């Protein structure tokens, strides 16, 4: 019992210290509270953060213990591999979606059920405008004006939310997510914007003797060419990775921002229900189930990597190594790098 209380206090204090350190502010926390305390519309009841950490002082369920282990593992890996803590910028907060009604911050990661989570967040923040997430068209969920991100707020407002809101993120086996991104962006003919923006560049740089048609359209990028593009040092020197294949630790900064719930794609339904339960919405909002026909599986990922040279397998793994470590994913059996 005593250990549990100490861990709760340490977790909350850790979050507090990080926030103040990375977002310099002339206001004291007490002054912030007075000025900003009215922004959370659900303040008359316990916040999701209180529900989470109060419940951990009693006998825990299997789900609660799972999430506590995930937080502890992430913290230990961060301490082991993070030497210097850098200052967060507004750009670092563009993936954190804000729900002031329920006191939530959600860091969205493309190819980890983020369309459905954005739909759910639109229901939660819509004040009755939406009731069923699946009635919201997929393209509408990605319109920036429909959801607010933490980068849009002032420094005191950012601090307040980081300290008082439940922060959650959903992650996925890194290479499975990568294959999913490739399939969606480079094998579907309707994704012409990606073909023009990235496909033409990849083919020009990583294909021997490309045809003029391929150079113009960029719509037949091979998986191996996509990998060559990712591990090419010139790629990140020229511009940041696109969010669909950027590493989770670079999108959500889990060694700087203290996440209270780390959901996994592999246990999506259970973990999504846990988040909705913490905010008291499990009876009013149902998380949509994924389509089994289009989902990228481990077996499918293995097929894509079948002809990838071991040299490139190693370089790619090193590129995504921190995501493997932070979120406790093993090296896939189809990689020959053991």
């Amino acid at each position: 019992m005593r250990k549990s209380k100490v861990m709760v206090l340490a977790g909350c204090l850790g979050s507090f210290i990080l926030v103040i350190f990375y977002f310099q502010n002339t206001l004291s926390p007490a002054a912030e509270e007075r000025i900003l305390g009215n922004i959370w519309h659900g303040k008359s009841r316990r916040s999701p953060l209180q529900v989470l950490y109060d419940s951990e002082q009693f006998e825990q369920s299997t789900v609660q213990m799972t999430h506590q282990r995930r937080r502890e593992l992430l913290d230990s890996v961060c301490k082991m591999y993070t030497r210097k803590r850098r200052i967060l910028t507004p750009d670092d907060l563009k993936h954190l979606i804000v729900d002031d009604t329920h006191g939530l911050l959600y860091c969205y990661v493309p190819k980890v059920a983020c369309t459905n989570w954005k739909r759910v967040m639109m229901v939660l923040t819509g004040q009755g405008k939406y009731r069923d997430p699946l009635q919201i068209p997929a393209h509408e969920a990605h319109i920036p004006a429909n959801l607010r991100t933490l980068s849009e707020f002032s420094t005191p407002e950012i601090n307040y939310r980081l300290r008082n809101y439940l922060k959650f993120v959903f992650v996925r086996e890194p290479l499975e997510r990568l294959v999913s991104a490739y399939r969606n962006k480079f094998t579907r003919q309707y994704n012409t914007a990606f073909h023009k923006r990235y496909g033409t560049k990849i083919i020009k740089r990583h294909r021997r003797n490309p045809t003029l048609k391929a150079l113009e359209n960029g719509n037949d990028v091979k998986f191996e060419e996509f990998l060559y593009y990712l591990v090419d040092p010139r790629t990140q020197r020229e511009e940041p990775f696109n969010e669909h294949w950027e590493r989770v630790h670079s999108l959500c900064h889990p060694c700087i921002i203290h996440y209270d719930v780390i959901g996994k794609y592999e246990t999506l339904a259970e973990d999504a229900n846990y988040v909705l339960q913490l905010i008291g919405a499990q009876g009013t909002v149902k998380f949509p189930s994924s389509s089994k026909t289009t989902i990228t599986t481990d077996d499918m990922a293995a097929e894509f990597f079948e002809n990838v040279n071991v040299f490139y397998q190693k370089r790619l793994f090193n590129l995504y190594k921190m995501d493997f470590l932070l979120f406790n994913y093993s090296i896939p059996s189809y990689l020959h790098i053991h």
Side-chain angles (χ1 to χ4, degrees), residues 33-34 48 51 94 122-123 130 247 265 272:
E33 197 83 25
R34 287 196 301 273
V51 172
K94 286 183 176 179
M122 286 175 70
V123 172
Y130 307 101
R247 286 70 54 92
Y265 192 77

Side-chain angles (χ1 to χ4, degrees), residues 101-151:
T101 305
H102 299 89
L104 277 181
L105 292 176
Y106 160 56
C107 187
Y108 74 89
V109 178
K111 309 313 299 174
V112 192
C114 82
T115 300
N116 281 338
W117 263 119
K118 286 183 177 181
R119 284 167 163 159
V120 169
M121 294 295 282
M122 286 175 70
V123 172
L124 293 174
T125 60
Q127 299 180 342
K129 182 180 178 181
Y130 307 101
R131 296 195 179 277
D132 180 2
L134 285 178
Q135 289 182 344
I136 302 172
H139 75 274
E140 201 170 312
H142 296 289
I143 297 174
N146 286 335
L147 291 164
R148 295 195 73 183
T149 65
L150 198 57
S151 60

Side-chain angles (χ1 to χ4, degrees), residues 299-316:
D299 288 342
M300 192 179 295
E303 290 179 21
F304 276 87
F305 276 91
E306 194 172 11
N307 297 317
V308 176
N309 184 284
V310 174
F311 173 78
Y312 287 104
Q313 289 185 11
K314 288 180 179 178
R315 292 188 65 182
L316 191 73

Side-chain angles (χ1 to χ4, degrees), residues 65 76 151 206 233 262:
M65 287 190 289
S76 66
S151 60
H206 299 288
I262 301 147

